[in-house]
Amino acid sequence: MAVQQKLPESFYTGPDVVSIAHSLIGKYFFSCFDGVLTGGMIVETEAYSGLNDAACHAHLGRRTKRTQIMYAQGGVAYVYLIYGIYSLFNIVTNVEGTADAVLIRAIEPTEGLEEMKLRRGLTKIEPRLTAGPGLVTQALGISTQHNGTSLLDSQIWLEDRGTQVPEEDIVSGPRVGVAYAGADALLPWRFSLKGSKWVSKANPKY
């Protein structure tokens, strides 16, 4: 029987956001609203470091109403809106006062498939269900109202189900849509599961 263990606070408070983003490949991401469980296995992530990463919203210690939650202790959700349409889900990591986060870009859906199809307006299980950061949140029913939600509670959480992903099956490369960050745009801080049809396209439709 597979082990199902909610990731503990200590996982999120680690000091190396890139290592955390890498280790999240093969972990599971769930939401449960009104008793409806939805989610699946994480197949794509991106790391952002507040200290020295021009692609990060909190670069150079920037504090705004939007980024304030990034300075919380690791283990809470940072959910923000892009294009006025898509909510993107990030995991705040590191200790309080250090603004690191991991963006969940894609999952392989495993639970609540019918509910996810309804939320996404789809009639079949296909990559458009969850192969992109804005698609994942829509499928899981997550929006900006969940910004600041603890990942140790029962609405949104991550699990280790004992899935072992070989190192050679984790692909690293530059992050998507951060050309404005100059040299930092080339950092290989995007991780994905090799060969997975659920990984987002390089130029996503979110």
Side-chain angles (χ1 to χ4, degrees), residues 66-107:
R66 180 171 78 163
T67 66
Q68 187 60 36
I69 192 63
M70 295 186 73
Y71 291 90
Q73 179 170 291
V76 297
Y78 169 40
V79 188
Y80 64 88
L81 200 65
I82 62 165
Y83 307 138
I85 304 172
Y86 298 106
S87 297
L88 301 195
F89 176 86
N90 300 258
I91 298 164
V92 174
T93 66
N94 215 320
V95 296
E96 184 177 357
T98 302
D100 292 349
V102 177
L103 171 66
I104 303 300
R105 286 195 56 87
I107 68 170

Side-chain angles (χ1 to χ4, degrees), residues 1 10 29 89 99 108 134-135 168 180 182 184 187-188 200:
M1 183 176 177
S10 58
F29 176 33
F89 176 86
E108 177 181 335
L135 312 185
E168 59 268 25
Y180 59 85
D184 287 346
L187 292 169
S200 70

Side-chain angles (χ1 to χ4, degrees), residues 117-131:
K117 283 195 302 182
L118 285 172
R119 289 171 177 166
R120 289 281 299 118
L122 299 176
T123 58
K124 61 181 181 178
I125 305 301
E126 57 180 300
R128 283 193 302 149
L129 188 64
T130 54

Side-chain angles (χ1 to χ4, degrees), residues 2-86:
V3 175
Q4 297 181 19
Q5 179 180 350
K6 186 178 290 187
L7 294 182
E9 185 176 67
S10 58
F11 178 90
Y12 302 112
T13 55
D16 186 346
V17 68
V18 178
S19 176
I20 292 172
H22 178 281
S23 67
L24 280 168
I25 302 300
K27 301 296 191 293
Y28 283 73
F29 176 33
F30 295 109
S31 70
C32 187
F33 303 120
D34 299 321
V36 179
L37 176 67
T38 52
M41 188 177 75
I42 298 169
V43 297
E44 186 180 7
T45 63
E46 286 180 347
Y48 290 87
S49 172
L51 183 62
N52 54 8
D53 174 16
C56 181
H57 292 167
H59 182 51
L60 300 178
R62 186 182 300 119
R63 284 181 184 256
T64 64
K65 183 178 180 181
R66 180 171 78 163
T67 66
Q68 187 60 36
I69 192 63
M70 295 186 73
Y71 291 90
Q73 179 170 291
V76 297
Y78 169 40
V79 188
Y80 64 88
L81 200 65
I82 62 165
Y83 307 138
I85 304 172
Y86 298 106

